[in-house]
Amino acid sequence: MTGRPYRRRKDLTLVSLLLLVLAMALGPTPSSAAGTDWWVPTARPAPDSGIDVTGEPFTGTNARGEVRGFVDAHDHLFANEGFGGRLICGKTFSPAGIADALKDCPEHYPDGSLAVFDYITRGGDGKHDPVGWPTFKDWPAYDSLTHQQNYYAWVERAWRGGQRVLVNDLVTNGVICSVYFFKDRGCDEMTSIRLQAKLTYDLQAYVDAMYGGAGKGWFRIVTDSAQARQVVEQGKLAVVLGVETSEPFGCKQVLDIAQCSRADIDKGLDELYALGVRSMFLCHKFDNALCGVRFDEGGLGTAINVGQFLSTGTFWKTEKCTGPQHDNPIGTAPSAAEKDLPAGVDVPSYDADAQCNTRGLTDLGEYAVRGMMQRKMMLEIDHMSVKATGRVLDIFDAASYPGVLSSHSWMDLNWTERVYGLGGFVAQYMHGSEQFGAEAKRTDALRDKYGVGYGYGTDMNGVGGWPAPRGAHAPNPVKYPFKSVDGGSVLDRQTTGARTWDLNTDGAAHYGLVPDWIEDIRLVAGQDVVNDLFRGAESYLDTWGASEKHQAGADLAKDASATAGSSESNPFTSYAPGRAVDGDPGTRWASDWSDDQWLRIDLGSTHRVGRVTLDWERAYAKSYRIDLSTDGVNWRTAWSTTSGDGGLDTARFTGTPARHVRVVGLARGTEWGYSLSEVGVHSS
């Protein structure tokens, strides 16, 4: 932990002294270590928040050449700019200084009586002291969902405490914006996304200016995994842009009619990519033209279901789940939002045993998924219905695409191993240390099996709630000061203005307390959990890098000659065997309605075959096998199953020379025959 030696200046001229006085009076104050410690800015705004960390941030890699550090896979630095601009009060930074950044919304003065959203989400009467800087009597707080938690200096403290990757999800919701009483801008979601992206770059420039110019600050926006690794090796914070919004590219649905097209999706993905976005959600809170959502529970769920109706003209619809995965219990508790419904319209009731959203991944949604794959982007599956998630995982499995993320505990946990098996990354929501530790230990064996690290998703400014204080006298409280996980820094209680925070008594009130929360996890859940978190940056960048390197394998079956034991006869539509290999998911081969049927594909020449994908229409095979042959006469079975459930299947087996591939249906899963939209044959 050695820095460059401090070089005392031997003398100062009168001009230098005058310049120093002017700088102190009119601008940012020089750091006490200016020019000696790379991690300390040469000038910081005055006044400003304390960081309260000493010691040099770790750099480089470990003995295996891996980067180190924590990853926050889900945060919202600029949520205050979404939802009409007045739902989250306060700014991440301001050129006018901390007093301008950390102040409450105008309607919260003088006592919070009009803090409607605070009242709705926090309970009580919503009243609070609106004064932020410098007193911070009532906010930020772990249970206040309406005040800024991501002030840049608090993020700086988290970086100094060992965090090396931060995913900034650009977030808004047009419906919430439209129904909320207070706003100072329009509700178009993409307009807000563009603004938040711009402000992220502005924050980078703001930090750079403190360190002497472009590229010199600790806050570095990255657009590929190699760049991110370089930033982390330098000991700085790699910031990745993501998107979490309900109607990306304007893809809402009204009365089940899509309000966007494939052209809109292509244009939207291209624009987001140009902005630097590398991961995104396709749906969030409300069903849209791309996918169905994973429900919210309780009164919040009722309120969001009302919003769904106001936005789309339909309430959530449920059905019995077909597998162990299920969506959240749908919210049916009373909500004040119900008064916004038209006269005579009520939130429906739902059967307790029907817990899955009927809406899965739509055709447009599948087009968007494949578009993201083409652009090497990572897809967030949290908030997707299990029906949509299952289809996404099938698509990724068929293509061996690793770019799947679960960033804050909103997917069914039964999917965890499938995500790891693909090469994806999993992070847990910022729960209290006991709950976080218990869930981390539950999946510890899977992380060992796949050799991966772990992440957390703080979701700060995300209206979710954060760890409450355990109490100063709880077992194993955080003792200040404490050392960072790498041992190279010392962290004391964090002070901003006249307020000093203590995790034991304040809980996770703002982003600067993330290192304190990690220390609490170490004390409560053990060092092993923290060790897995410290490997998070490496694993996240592994997933990203593998997504960038992914190459779509050639489909050997495309437009190949195909024959079948039978084909369903229809005077209006052809269900000929070649329809299963024409590259058009809108066509299909369909057999007669009996069990023993086959589809045979001639690849034209002998190839090494190691993977076959089968995209079933509703008429699927419960039991079937895949046979291979080099001459069309002598066959061997390469793969078989007796538990087919339809959808998109991927059969993997040891690579084998073959010219002919035969799918043999043995038992139907429905009353109809067998029907395949597409069959793909691949070398690996």
Side-chain angles (χ1 to χ4, degrees):
M1 312 305 299
T2 56
R4 288 173 289 179
Y6 180 77
R7 296 179 180 177
R8 184 179 300 275
R9 292 174 179 166
K10 294 181 179 179
D11 61 292
L12 287 171
T13 65
L14 179 60
V15 172
S16 298
L17 285 170
L18 288 172
L19 289 174
L20 179 59
V21 170
L22 285 172
M24 293 179 67
L26 302 177
T29 58
S31 161
S32 60
T36 62
D37 297 332
W38 65 267
W39 60 94
V40 178
T42 55
R44 181 183 292 282
D48 202 11
S49 173
I51 307 300
D52 303 291
V53 182
T54 58
E56 181 177 1
F58 58 88
T59 60
T61 59
N62 63 17
R64 296 185 296 274
E66 300 171 334
V67 297
R68 299 163 294 161
F70 306 118
V71 53
D72 181 353
H74 193 104
D75 186 32
H76 302 293
L77 289 178
F78 293 99
N80 57 290
E81 303 293 348
F83 313 102
R86 297 269 276 274
L87 197 72
I88 309 294
C89 306
K91 303 175 186 177
T92 304
F93 77 103
S94 170
I98 191 169
D100 181 65
L102 296 181
K103 63 182 181 183
D104 217 337
C105 292
E107 59 274 8
H108 287 204
Y109 290 87
D111 62 357
S113 295
L114 292 180
V116 179
F117 193 66
D118 200 61
Y119 162 74
I120 293 172
T121 58
R122 195 178 190 183
D125 58 9
K127 291 186 177 182
H128 62 274
D129 181 355
V131 177
W133 172 268
T135 56
F136 300 106
K137 179 182 177 182
D138 287 339
W139 66 271
Y142 75 92
D143 58 348
S144 174
L145 311 187
T146 64
H147 294 101
Q148 181 61 247
Q149 297 174 295
N150 281 318
Y151 184 62
Y152 92 93
W154 299 337
V155 177
E156 182 178 354
R157 176 181 162 90
W159 159 63
R160 291 285 299 274
Q163 187 169 305
R164 291 296 179 267
V165 177
L166 185 153
V167 180
N168 177 30
D169 282 318
L170 316 175
V171 64
T172 190
N173 183 293
V175 174
I176 292 175
C177 171
S178 66
V179 301
Y180 190 54
F181 303 96
F182 305 104
K183 60 180 72 70
D184 55 20
R185 65 198 65 181
C187 295
D188 179 72
E189 292 191 349
M190 290 303 294
T191 298
S192 179
I193 295 304
R194 296 180 190 108
L195 173 61
Q196 292 177 52
K198 175 187 179 299
L199 288 172
T200 310
Y201 286 95
D202 288 349
L203 175 56
Q204 177 176 258
Y206 182 75
V207 173
D208 279 351
M210 298 182 203
Y211 287 79
K216 296 185 178 181
W218 53 269
F219 186 94
R220 312 303 321 148
I221 299 169
V222 294
T223 55
D224 61 61
S225 63
Q227 186 183 27
R229 285 188 179 278
Q230 184 180 38
V231 167
V232 176
E233 287 180 22
Q234 292 171 351
K236 299 182 179 183
L237 181 68
V239 179
V240 186
L241 295 185
V243 166
E244 182 182 39
T245 188
S246 293
E247 298 167 0
F249 333 125
C251 280
K252 68 182 301 178
Q253 55 95 7
V254 177
L255 299 175
D256 292 319
I257 299 174
Q259 305 298 299
C260 67
S261 65
R262 290 188 172 191
D264 294 325
I265 292 170
D266 283 331
K267 180 180 178 182
L269 286 174
D270 286 343
E271 179 183 7
L272 290 179
Y273 194 90
L275 288 174
V277 172
R278 295 297 179 266
S279 67
M280 70 175 296
F281 295 76
L282 289 183
C283 50
H284 178 241
K285 298 304 181 184
F286 304 139
D287 295 343
N288 62 23
L290 306 176
C291 50
V293 293
R294 185 170 168 83
F295 309 128
D296 280 83
E297 304 178 52
L300 179 61
T302 302
I304 293 174
N305 203 5
V306 169
Q308 154 107 4
F309 179 84
L310 296 176
S311 175
T312 70
T314 60
F315 290 104
W316 288 327
K317 299 175 184 177
T318 65
E319 63 186 8
K320 289 185 177 181
C321 303
T322 58
Q325 295 82 14
H326 58 80
D327 293 318
N328 292 325
I330 199 165
T332 56
S335 169
E338 292 176 89
K339 64 178 174 44
D340 294 323
L341 290 171
V345 177
D346 297 309
V347 177
S349 59
Y350 296 93
D351 293 336
D353 62 346
Q355 203 172 317
C356 280
N357 194 335
T358 60
R359 195 174 187 86
L361 190 69
T362 68
D363 290 342
L364 281 174
E366 186 159 329
Y367 184 81
V369 169
R370 296 187 185 280
M372 290 182 67
M373 292 168 63
Q374 292 168 3
R375 293 164 177 82
K376 315 298 185 185
M377 297 172 73
M378 295 177 286
L379 175 64
E380 294 265 13
I381 58 174
D382 287 3
H383 291 296
M384 273 188 173
S385 67
V386 295
K387 197 171 185 178
T389 301
R391 180 67 178 180
V392 165
L393 295 178
D394 285 346
I395 292 170
F396 280 12
D397 192 23
S400 298
Y401 189 74
V404 57
L405 305 172
S406 175
S407 61
H408 66 332
S409 302
W410 261 82
M411 72 163 183
D412 188 291
L413 296 177
N414 289 296
W415 294 125
T416 302
E417 184 160 15
R418 282 202 72 183
V419 173
Y420 283 146
L422 284 167
F425 182 78
V426 174
Q428 185 187 159
Y429 188 80
M430 190 183 184
H431 294 120
S433 54
E434 298 97 333
Q435 184 178 350
F436 191 95
E439 171 57 22
K441 290 176 181 178
R442 188 190 71 82
T443 55
D444 181 65
L446 284 176
R447 289 193 297 280
D448 287 345
K449 177 180 178 180
Y450 291 95
V452 295
Y454 204 32
Y456 50 80
T458 63
D459 199 20
M460 287 202 171
N461 286 2
V463 197
W466 296 273
R470 290 200 300 120
H473 302 294
N476 299 315
V478 173
K479 296 179 180 179
Y480 294 92
F482 62 89
K483 284 189 175 183
S484 60
V485 174
D486 64 292
S489 297
V490 176
L491 296 91
D492 209 338
R493 290 175 180 83
Q494 195 278 322
T495 296
T496 304
R499 177 75 184 273
T500 298
W501 279 273
D502 183 321
L503 186 83
N504 302 302
T505 54
D506 295 311
H510 62 67
Y511 209 91
L513 297 173
V514 168
D516 312 50
W517 169 72
I518 293 172
E519 172 68 2
D520 200 44
I521 291 174
R522 185 186 71 82
L523 295 167
V524 172
Q527 185 66 44
D528 287 347
V529 175
V530 176
N531 288 345
D532 278 1
L533 289 172
F534 202 56
R535 296 184 59 210
E538 174 65 29
S539 287
Y540 179 89
L541 296 181
D542 277 346
T543 294
W544 191 5
S547 303
E548 293 169 326
K549 295 174 184 175
H550 178 266
Q551 296 294 326
D555 181 2
L556 304 173
K558 176 71 166 57
D559 294 327
S561 173
T563 55
S566 67
S567 295
E568 182 181 338
S569 177
N570 186 299
F572 304 105
T573 304
S574 170
Y575 296 120
R579 293 301 185 97
V581 292
D582 62 0
D584 182 355
T587 64
R588 58 189 175 93
W589 163 71
S591 76
D592 287 343
W593 294 13
S594 61
D595 282 335
D596 295 323
Q597 299 290 338
W598 53 267
L599 174 72
R600 175 173 160 177
I601 302 167
D602 183 350
L603 304 179
S605 60
T606 299
H607 297 268
R608 180 182 182 274
V609 175
R611 176 166 55 96
V612 175
T613 59
L614 305 100
D615 196 356
W616 297 97
E617 193 253 353
R618 287 180 297 171
Y620 67 93
K622 182 177 181 181
S623 176
Y624 69 98
R625 71 173 190 261
I626 296 173
D627 297 338
L628 303 178
S629 172
T630 55
D631 56 11
V633 177
N634 300 294
W635 297 86
R636 63 178 293 271
T637 297
W639 187 91
S640 65
T641 183
T642 58
S643 57
D645 59 359
L648 179 56
D649 289 346
T650 299
R652 286 187 171 84
F653 42 85
T654 302
T656 304
R659 171 173 172 167
H660 304 274
V661 178
R662 184 172 65 185
V663 180
V664 181
L666 303 173
R668 291 169 292 158
T670 69
E671 61 183 302
W672 307 297
Y674 303 99
S675 185
L676 284 162
S677 298
E678 284 296 312
V679 177
V681 178
H682 306 271
S683 292
S684 61

